Amino acid sequence: MPLSMFLQRVGADLRAKYVSFRCFDDYSTSIDMATALHPQTILVLDYGDHALAPAYGAPMKVRIPTKLGYKNPKYLASIEVTDRFPGGYWEDQGYDWFGGS
């Protein structure tokens, strides 16, 4: 499902600056709202006809083809829409926050 569709359905403020992801393995990352609304940014629940396997990020992962790998969170626990800069695990250690195109 496109992340944009999910955000619209839950009534998220699409004028906010950031979308932050927290994961069950204590990983976190964030993206700008334009990337969240990009049609290729998707929430992944399954692979083919099967539920997403734990090895691939179950229960859910976010696939962002326009970003580097560390911007594609797995084991998703929560999504937050915010105007406060959220950073992320690698970003807080000096990696480029934008991380892609």
Side-chain angles (χ1 to χ4, degrees):
M1 164 188 287
L3 179 57
S4 61
M5 183 183 298
F6 172 80
L7 294 174
Q8 290 169 2
R9 285 186 181 175
V10 300
D13 181 358
L14 303 181
R15 297 167 299 168
K17 293 180 183 180
Y18 308 106
V19 178
S20 175
F21 305 100
R22 302 261 177 236
C23 304
F24 286 110
D25 62 356
D26 293 326
Y27 187 75
S28 64
T29 193
S30 57
I31 56 177
D32 61 299
M33 184 58 77
T35 299
L37 298 178
H38 190 284
Q40 290 180 316
T41 301
I42 60 172
L43 296 174
V44 180
L45 293 164
D46 56 30
Y47 182 74
D49 294 332
H50 303 288
L52 190 63
Y56 296 105
M60 183 187 313
K61 71 179 185 177
V62 181
R63 179 72 177 110
I64 311 169
T66 60
K67 299 294 182 190
L68 297 174
Y70 66 94
K71 300 299 280 185
N72 289 258
K74 301 189 297 185
Y75 318 113
L76 199 62
S78 69
I79 300 171
E80 178 186 10
V81 173
T82 182
D83 281 321
R84 178 190 51 80
F85 180 73
Y89 177 82
W90 287 110
E91 298 86 344
D92 294 347
Q93 296 182 57
Y95 278 61
D96 179 49
W97 177 79
F98 199 70
S101 59

